[in-house]
């Protein structure tokens, strides 16, 4: 008879610990808008100091009625927002970078062509002047 009572109390104690751990996980993983009545730290302390009553109170009064249950897996992105999680794109995969390269290349080509044309005009002018000098009779 006595060993049956010890087993029952041990089982109830274990159930109380499991309930407290579940309540702590739920409390710590709840979003700020899902926590009611008290701040998160107050709920954590109540659950720690009064495991049975605090756990039941958390599930009855502490969580928002439509709140989702505590997550068992890591959240998508490990808790980072989409903006924080966005990784830099490799240059050859970034369309903006590729278009800026094409624009820069086009500008450089146009500038190079303009310089060649200027150089060609200058050389042609020098040749004309040189021929004009040769065509004039010496005085």
């Amino acid at each position: 008879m006595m060993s049956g009572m010890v087993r029952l109390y041990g089982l109830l104690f274990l159930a109380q610990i499991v309930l407290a751990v579940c309540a702590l996980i739920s409390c710590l993983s709840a979003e700020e808008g899902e926590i009611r009545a008290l701040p998160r730290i107050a709920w954590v302390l109540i659950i720690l100091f009064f495991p049975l009553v605090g756990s039941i109170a958390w599930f009855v009064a502490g969580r928002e009625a439509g709140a989702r249950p505590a997550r068992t897996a890591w959240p998508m992105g490990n808790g980072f927002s989409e903006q924080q999680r966005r990784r830099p794109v490799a240059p050859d995969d970034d369309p903006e970078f590729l278009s800026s390269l094409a624009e820069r290349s086009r500008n450089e080509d146009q500038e190079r062509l303009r310089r060649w044309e200027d150089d060609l005009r200058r050389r042609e002018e020098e040749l004309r002047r040189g021929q004009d000098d040769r065509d004039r009779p010496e005085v």
Side-chain angles (χ1 to χ4, degrees):
M1 182 81 163
M2 187 64 134
S3 70
M5 291 296 281
V6 169
R7 254 189 236 151
L8 179 64
Y9 285 135
L11 188 60
L12 288 176
F13 178 74
L14 186 62
Q16 176 182 341
I17 296 300
V18 168
L19 182 64
V21 168
C22 290
L24 274 173
I25 291 172
S26 173
C27 180
L28 292 173
S29 66
E31 301 289 329
E32 284 299 323
E34 297 174 349
I35 300 173
R36 294 189 307 179
L38 297 171
R40 181 188 319 263
I41 189 69
W43 280 114
V44 169
L45 292 175
I46 289 171
I47 294 169
L48 287 175
F49 289 125
F50 309 103
L52 182 62
V53 176
S55 300
I56 293 171
W58 164 252
F59 287 117
V60 171
R63 277 191 348 178
E64 195 67 38
R68 55 184 153 60
R71 296 176 284 230
T72 56
W74 286 101
M76 193 72 165
N78 297 329
F80 291 104
S81 70
E82 180 67 27
Q83 187 71 7
Q84 292 169 326
R85 203 171 4 138
R86 191 168 297 168
R87 294 192 174 164
V89 179
D92 56 341
D93 292 338
D94 186 2
E96 290 177 25
F97 178 74
L98 293 175
S99 66
S100 73
L101 279 181
E103 180 69 26
R104 188 182 326 160
S105 177
R106 203 172 16 257
N107 290 342
E108 288 173 356
D109 289 346
Q110 288 175 352
E111 177 62 25
R112 190 175 304 120
L113 182 61
R114 187 192 59 77
R115 282 184 295 181
W116 285 343
E117 287 174 342
D118 290 345
D119 187 48
L120 183 60
R121 278 191 209 103
R122 183 184 53 79
R123 289 179 183 206
E124 286 176 345
E125 190 63 35
E126 287 175 358
L127 280 174
R128 277 192 210 122
R129 273 190 249 144
Q131 264 193 344
D132 286 346
D133 289 343
R134 275 187 257 139
D135 291 342
R136 279 192 215 155
E138 302 221 3
V139 184

